[in-house]
Each structure stands twice: as structure tokens, then as C-alpha cells.
Amino acid sequence: MTLARLAARHGVATAHSPSEGVTVPVPDATVVAVLAALGVDAASPEAVAAALDAAERADRERLLPPTLVLHREEDGSGGTVRPPLDLPPGTRLRVTTEDGETVDGGDWSGLPLGVHAVGAEAPDGRAATGTLIVSPARVPGPGRRGYGLLVQLYSLLSTRSWGMGDLGDLRELATWAGRTHGAGFVQVNPLHAGVPGAPSDPSPYRPSSRRFPDPVHLRIEEIPEYALVGPERREELDRILAEAAELRERVLGKGALIDRDAVWEVKRRALELVLGAVEPGPGRRADFHDFLAERGSALEDHATYQALAERHGHHWRSWPEELRTPRAAESAVRADPALAARVDFHCRLAWLTDRQLADAAAAAREAGMEVGIVHDLAVGVHPEGSDTWAQQEAFAAGMSVGAPPDAFNSRGQDWGLPPWRPDALAAAGYAPYRGLLRELLRHAGALRIDHVMGLFRLWWVPEGREPTEGTYVRYDAEAMLAVLVLEAHRAGALVIGEDLGTVEPGVREELARRGVFGTSVLWFERDWAGTGRPLPAGEWRAECVATATTHDLPSTAARLSGEHVGLRHRLGLLAGDLERERAADAAETAEWLGLFERTGLLPEGPGDEEAEIRAVHRFLLATPAWMVGVWLPDAVGDRRPQNLPGTWDEYPNWRLPLAGPDGQPLTLEQLAASPRAHALLRELGARTEGREPSDRAGDARTAPPGARPV
């Protein structure tokens, strides 16, 4: 079929397999809509034929693809160029490295790592240019095995927080966990810039921009200029501090939910007062100017969007025509001193946030953490946010990322996130992706990638259609991984992929080959190809973060007690009978507890929740996993999930503070003083301190290729 051939040429699937042996065709209307979003007209048989003819003609005439990839092998030699070059005899090649050096000819084995320009000239006069990405074979690995904490930062309030956790709290948590309990890392939720305006979306996984952090995470009192506010503004600042204290007390003492919008309103006023009242000194000013120069037009665009959104709302497609693109908006900024001042203000907020992120990373290293802060990359951005405004050509208009129907969700999912266009990424030498990774890796010891399978393919849902009417669109995984490995290598950072759920064959193997760790959650690790029983510790994979739960799953206390089943029933999320679901859940839990008892990990026997949670983590330490993650609420027995998929207003997703078993909020200071948390973390620290994986797993294991020296 001609439409299927055209779709295949652009990586658009015309069928998908929700389960083994089952193939579901994609509606033609979906294929046509997706091709249109890729700039291909397939609205009629004549258009399809013309588009296919044009694509085949372009292939015949093209000398170079827009992006080439060359992996530098472990021994330093160059590998195979992909896609392979098929050039006419006599074609001249020239590479200009990112350092400005030129290399003539096709022997690229000695090229340095980096992103280079390549040109080709054929004897018939044709010429072409492209991008050559030379990357290492693998991402760096950890130097030794370790454990760390997984935390949603907004949920961790200290007695100094302004109604939600901040970067000062992150620094304190990392210092305490590293120095007192020997933790090797702290993994946080995405700290990306949220969509401006109120009410905002509290989810950290649907941001305005993934390139820049949100200043709502600033610790205001630790901005150097704060201490220099003069007496003439101190009274006003004291009133703001009183409001901040009330926000904190509402959450910690009065049972209120975390209100990000209210926190930002108070912090914005404080920042305007501080930055308006105190001029930074020469050294600070020079640091800010260096930051502006380093971040370049990307920061200017983001700050401009923020300033314009204050005036016109964040829905940029409804802005005046002259403001709908960054370059067009430049003249408006130049002509309006008040608008230019707001752009400068938002640039300063990005600078201040960046510097506090750097402080948190430095504190983690100084506390002895092997990895340090693990930052999180959301799978996409809001369709009306900063990134889609600044990089419109890179996003597929009228499309949303989601998931096809599966055994857990018969209706599929639409996440409301516009996907990147794979053709636009390739044409740009993956510059948008490279820039994003560089920003996130600036202060990261590791980067977690949400839905890492998206490097290979994403489920696109056309606007106005149900998720069941979507289709997969394939990305150049070879290039996506090459960029990822290169940028992680440059930053000296690990990469962790969230590879839970439906994963097509070969993806986990390819990620492992490139040194990207996976994510293994206890309750999902069973011998699915055999008995179906819990997978013994020794059979787990080593290159992963092993954990008991995630932000989208029940806490371990709720899982062990079965409370999560009752919660889902109350919210109408159970597909089957309540008692049947409870019985199945209890049987599953009993299987795991029985395994812990038989292997000596639960000497106390079942029935003691704290002992059972310690047994869960003893088991994780008994696996070969190089990284073991402790969901911070598990350390204090919190029973509530931070996010309950399938709910919106029915459950307070992303707005709950850390709490004890009784649901009463706990501060960071109370966490650090908790005997329950101390007992768990003390054991984890003692079991991992100074020992290699062979100490845990009972077999002779060596460090993964590319491991960093200790």
C-alpha cells in the first residue's frame, strides 16, 4: 500500500502490537494527520504518490544525511559511521571539528569526541553539509555500589521552607544523608520551570520549559543580596516573611495542601524587593554577565516568554501576532523599557537558581556522595509553554504524546505533551536536544530520563482524537543515544532510564550496551517467562536502580498493608471486585514476605511493618543492582502516594508533604531525628559502606565498563 510505504519512510507505524501475537491496524486518518504534522501531505491518493516520489527522488540526489553518528570504541578507535555513507566515486569529504580544525578525507577514526560539521562535494557539482556526532561507546558508570534517597523536593519542608521544599532543603538533605548515613545520591523530581500564571499545573512532569529550572525552588534568605536589604525596605520584607511563615504553618500544622502558586506569589514579591533594593557588587555582576553569555539566546528567549506571559497569559498562540515568535518579539522588548526590565528580572532569577543548584551539588560531593544529585528529565513540555514558543519548528503541531491501550488502561493515555519532530531534530543536528541535556547536566551527578523508551519511539495522538487512535512514531535512537552518551561523558554523569511499562524488544539491551541504567521496581520483578513467582535476588540485572516504589506507585507501607487497594476503590479506579482485588494483592505481598523469610532477610517474621520495610531493602541490597533507591516516604512510613495516575481533582497529586504513618506532616528536621528513618538508613549505610557488589550478590562481579575510579 502506497500510504504504508510513505508512512514507513517517515517512521510512522501503520499497526501496533499491544500484546504478543496481537496486531492492531492504525486508522488511515491517524496516519494522514501524523504525516501532516511532519510536513508531508497525504490527504489524497495523488498527494501520497507525489510525496512518495519526492522522498525517493530526494534520497537519490542526497549526498549526506542531515546527521551522522560515529561511536568511539572502548579502545579509542572509531567505529562504524551510521547511517553508512554511499557516496559517488571521487566525492570529497571535509570535517570541521567543533574546535575549528579541519580534516580532509573519509578517515575519521582519529576525530575527537564532539559535534562536528561535515561537508561533501561530488564530481558532478553537488554539495551537501551535515552534522557529525562523535560519541563514546558508553555512559560513565559508578565507581562503586551505593544507595540513595528518592524524593519529591516540594514535599520536603523544613522549618525554614516557604510552604514547599526548596534548594536549601535539598542541600541539607544531601549533606545529612551523605555524612550521617553514607548515602551515595539524592534523586529529585524534575525542577523544570513551571507554566506561569495561576492556577498552575502542580505536576513537575508537564513543565513550561525543561531547559531552565523554576525559581520557585529558591531559598530566598540565601541569596547574597538578601542580607544587604536596608532598613527602609526591611519592614516590607518582614511582612513577606510573616506570610511565608503562615504558608509553612498551614501545611505543617493545619493540614493544608502544598500551594505552589501561593508560594511563588510570596517569593516573587520578595525577589522583586531584594533585587530592586540591592545592586550586586562587581564580582556578582561579573558572574551574572558570564552566566548570560554562557546561556545565550536560549536564556533570552525563556526570560522573554516569562515577561510576555505576565502581560498576556501563557497561551502564546493567542498573543498579538508580532509576539508569537522570539525573533519578532525582540523589537517589542527593545521598544518597551518596562518589558526589558522584566526580561532582565527573569534572567536574574535563572542565574540565582542555577547558583543554588550548584551549591546543592557541591554540598553533596563534600558530604562524600559518590554520585550526588540525580536530576530528572520529564518526557515533554506544556503545549503553550516557553519551550514550544522558543522552538516552534522542533515540535509537532496538533500532536500529543501518550500511550496505547494496554492491560492496565484499556483507553490508552494522552499526556498533553507535544512531541519533538524527529525530522526537525535531525535537520538541526539535534541542537535542541543537545542544549537541553547540557543545561540539565550542569549540576547533576546523574540524570534520570522519564519514559526513556521515548528515545526510540513515542505514541502520537492527533488533536481531537482518542488515545486509542494514535500511532507510534520512530526516532533515530542511534543519534539520540549518541548525543546522550556524549553529553553525559562531558559532564561525568551517569544516566538512568525509567524503563517501566511497555518496552519493545531490544530496547533494554541497547540501553544497557550504551551504559544507560534501567529502573527495577520490586513488585514488578517476577519470573514472567517461567513460574511467575518473585524473581530471586541473584537474577536481577546489575545495571539499574533497584527500588521498592516510585512517585507513581503506592508507598511500601501502603503496599504491605493493602491500603492502596482501598484507596483506589474509593476513587473508582478498581477494574474488578474489591474483595477479589484485596485477596490477590494480599497473596502477592505474602509471596514476597515468604521469600524474605526463607532467605533470612526477615528474621522477625511478618507482622511488623517496620521490619518488613527493612526486609524489602535488605532484599534490594542482595541483588546485583549497582544503585539502590530508597523512596524517602518509606523511611518514615508514609502511606500516601504522591501521584495517583488516572486522577485529577479526585486526589491531591503533587501537593502532599512528607508525613508519618498517621498522615501528620514531618519536617526535614523531624525526618533527621526519626528513629524509624535512622534504623533503616543506618542499615543501608552499613551494608554498602566500602563494599563492592560481590559483597552483596554472592558472585564475583567487576565494575561496569566505563566505571569512574573511586
Side-chain angles (χ1 to χ4, degrees):
M1 182 180 177
T2 307
L3 179 61
R5 286 175 54 201
L6 180 64
R9 295 187 67 85
H10 293 278
V12 180
T14 53
H16 71 99
S17 299
S19 59
E20 188 174 353
V22 177
T23 300
V24 177
V26 174
D28 284 355
T30 295
V31 176
V32 171
V34 170
L35 285 171
L38 293 170
V40 179
D41 182 5
S44 67
E46 296 76 16
V48 171
L52 189 58
D53 179 68
E56 291 174 344
R57 184 171 61 253
D59 282 350
R60 291 191 300 268
E61 296 175 354
R62 184 180 65 189
L63 281 177
L64 292 175
T67 299
L68 293 155
V69 171
L70 174 65
H71 296 304
R72 176 76 64 237
E73 299 301 330
E74 299 283 349
D75 61 3
S77 63
T80 305
V81 175
R82 296 179 183 273
L85 290 174
D86 184 18
L87 299 171
T91 298
R92 296 176 55 195
L93 288 170
R94 167 172 288 187
V95 173
T96 303
T97 71
E98 59 184 17
D99 293 328
E101 298 181 2
T102 58
V103 176
D104 291 317
D107 182 9
W108 296 344
S109 59
L111 285 175
L113 300 176
V115 181
H116 314 309
V118 57
E121 294 182 7
D124 61 6
R126 287 181 295 154
T129 58
T131 300
L132 174 63
I133 299 168
V134 182
S135 82
R138 292 174 58 89
V139 171
R144 62 171 178 260
R145 194 181 194 223
Y147 88 96
L149 305 178
L150 316 179
V151 60
Q152 298 284 292
L153 181 58
Y154 58 84
S155 73
L156 183 66
L157 284 75
S158 69
T159 56
R160 297 178 61 192
S161 304
W162 287 25
M164 62 181 281
D166 60 33
L167 292 173
D169 297 321
L170 176 59
R171 188 193 65 249
E172 290 290 337
L173 177 68
T175 300
W176 168 73
R179 292 185 182 277
T180 304
H181 293 292
F185 63 92
V186 172
Q187 177 181 302
V188 296
N189 56 282
L191 303 183
H192 308 321
V195 177
S200 64
D201 187 339
S203 172
Y205 290 92
R206 199 166 182 249
S208 172
S209 174
R210 296 186 294 176
R211 298 181 296 167
F212 295 98
D214 198 315
V216 75
H217 300 111
L218 282 168
R219 171 68 64 83
I220 303 296
E221 297 93 330
E222 293 178 3
I223 297 171
E225 287 74 26
Y226 172 88
L228 303 177
V229 174
E232 70 282 359
R233 306 298 297 275
R234 180 57 60 178
E235 184 176 343
E236 182 181 353
L237 187 55
D238 287 343
R239 286 196 295 269
I240 294 175
L241 289 173
E243 292 181 47
E246 174 59 23
L247 283 175
R248 179 173 60 247
E249 177 57 22
R250 285 182 203 168
V251 175
L252 295 176
K254 299 179 181 178
L257 298 175
I258 292 168
D259 187 341
R260 178 192 177 279
D261 294 338
V263 173
W264 173 239
E265 174 61 22
V266 174
K267 287 193 176 184
R268 178 189 58 77
R269 287 163 46 208
L271 287 161
E272 289 173 344
L273 187 153
V274 171
L275 298 184
V278 180
E279 186 68 24
R284 290 273 292 168
R285 194 180 304 114
D287 183 55
F288 174 56
H289 290 159
D290 284 348
F291 179 78
L292 290 177
E294 291 166 2
R295 307 279 73 78
S297 61
L299 174 59
E300 189 76 16
D301 290 346
H302 175 65
T304 300
Y305 169 88
Q306 295 291 103
L308 290 171
E310 289 177 335
R311 287 192 178 183
H312 303 285
H314 72 266
H315 294 278
W316 59 263
R317 289 180 176 85
S318 65
W319 290 354
E321 185 69 34
E322 65 274 14
L323 302 178
R324 292 182 193 171
T325 65
R327 302 292 74 83
E330 285 178 351
S331 58
V333 174
R334 286 194 298 268
D336 187 336
L339 184 60
R342 294 307 291 178
V343 172
D344 179 72
F345 175 71
H346 288 289
C347 285
R348 290 178 184 274
L349 299 191
W351 167 58
L352 295 173
T353 311
D354 179 86
R355 294 318 189 231
Q356 288 196 5
L357 283 167
D359 290 344
R365 291 192 300 270
E366 290 166 5
M369 287 192 166
E370 164 71 11
V371 176
I373 307 299
V374 182
H375 285 281
D376 198 350
L377 172 61
V379 70
V381 294
H382 193 282
E384 293 283 352
S386 169
D387 283 358
T388 57
W389 178 74
Q391 301 176 324
Q392 295 174 39
E393 68 288 345
F395 290 93
M399 294 290 142
S400 176
V401 174
D406 57 26
F408 300 98
N409 193 325
S410 61
R411 295 177 297 178
Q413 300 175 58
D414 183 343
W415 301 333
L417 308 170
W420 263 333
R421 287 180 54 164
D423 58 329
L425 288 178
Y430 292 84
Y433 180 46
R434 288 188 278 117
L436 168 62
L437 291 175
R438 286 186 186 180
E439 290 295 339
L440 285 171
L441 289 165
R442 281 171 58 80
H443 307 302
L447 180 65
R448 175 191 180 271
I449 299 181
D450 192 43
H451 193 70
V452 71
M453 299 82 77
L455 299 180
F456 295 77
R457 66 178 185 176
L458 283 171
W459 184 258
W460 287 24
V461 181
E463 184 177 352
R465 297 185 180 274
E466 294 296 320
T468 53
E469 300 178 85
T471 189
Y472 279 114
V473 175
R474 191 159 294 281
Y475 292 76
D476 185 346
E478 190 81 26
M480 297 288 279
L481 286 171
V483 171
L484 176 62
V485 172
L486 174 63
E487 296 302 335
H489 171 84
R490 285 172 156 167
L494 284 68
V495 178
I496 302 159
E498 185 270 296
D499 56 351
L500 304 174
T502 302
V503 184
E504 65 177 321
V507 166
R508 287 194 175 105
E509 292 77 8
E510 180 62 16
L511 291 171
R513 188 175 71 85
R514 303 309 307 276
V516 177
F517 277 26
T519 302
S520 293
V521 177
L522 180 89
W523 310 100
F524 301 156
E525 292 296 318
R526 289 176 170 267
D527 181 13
W528 298 113
T531 65
R533 295 183 181 278
L535 194 66
E539 296 181 27
W540 284 42
R541 54 181 170 171
E543 290 77 20
C544 74
V545 175
T547 183
T549 190
T550 73
H551 59 263
D552 285 331
L553 296 171
S555 70
T556 304
R559 177 82 68 169
L560 291 169
S561 66
E563 288 185 18
H564 70 107
V565 179
L567 174 62
R568 294 177 64 230
H569 171 69
R570 291 192 298 274
L571 295 174
L573 298 176
L574 281 189
D577 175 74
L578 173 60
E579 294 309 316
R580 190 180 300 115
E581 292 281 350
R582 278 179 169 160
D585 182 72
E588 180 182 352
T589 301
E591 274 193 302
W592 281 103
L593 293 176
L595 176 60
F596 301 158
E597 278 195 276
R598 290 193 303 275
T599 53
L601 299 174
L602 185 56
E604 304 90 341
D608 182 331
E609 180 183 284
E610 289 189 46
E612 290 173 353
I613 291 177
R614 287 197 296 272
V616 165
H617 291 90
R618 289 175 189 140
F619 180 87
L620 296 176
L621 288 171
T623 73
W626 275 86
M627 300 174 73
V628 172
V630 180
W631 177 237
L632 191 61
D634 282 350
V636 290
D638 197 342
R639 283 169 150 65
R640 308 155 312 158
Q642 280 294 313
N643 178 51
L644 195 59
T647 64
W648 182 251
D649 293 330
E650 305 93 331
Y651 187 81
N653 296 317
W654 317 113
R655 289 172 287 172
L656 292 171
L658 180 74
D662 57 1
Q664 291 299 309
L666 297 175
T667 64
L668 172 57
E669 292 82 1
Q670 290 170 322
L671 166 74
S674 165
R676 180 170 181 159
H678 182 69
L680 176 62
L681 300 185
R682 178 181 58 192
E683 182 163 347
L684 287 161
R687 286 172 174 258
T688 57
E689 178 128 10
R691 300 181 185 179
E692 294 298 321
S694 57
D695 297 331
R696 301 280 80 76
D699 59 1
R701 294 182 182 270
T702 57
R708 298 182 297 184
V710 179

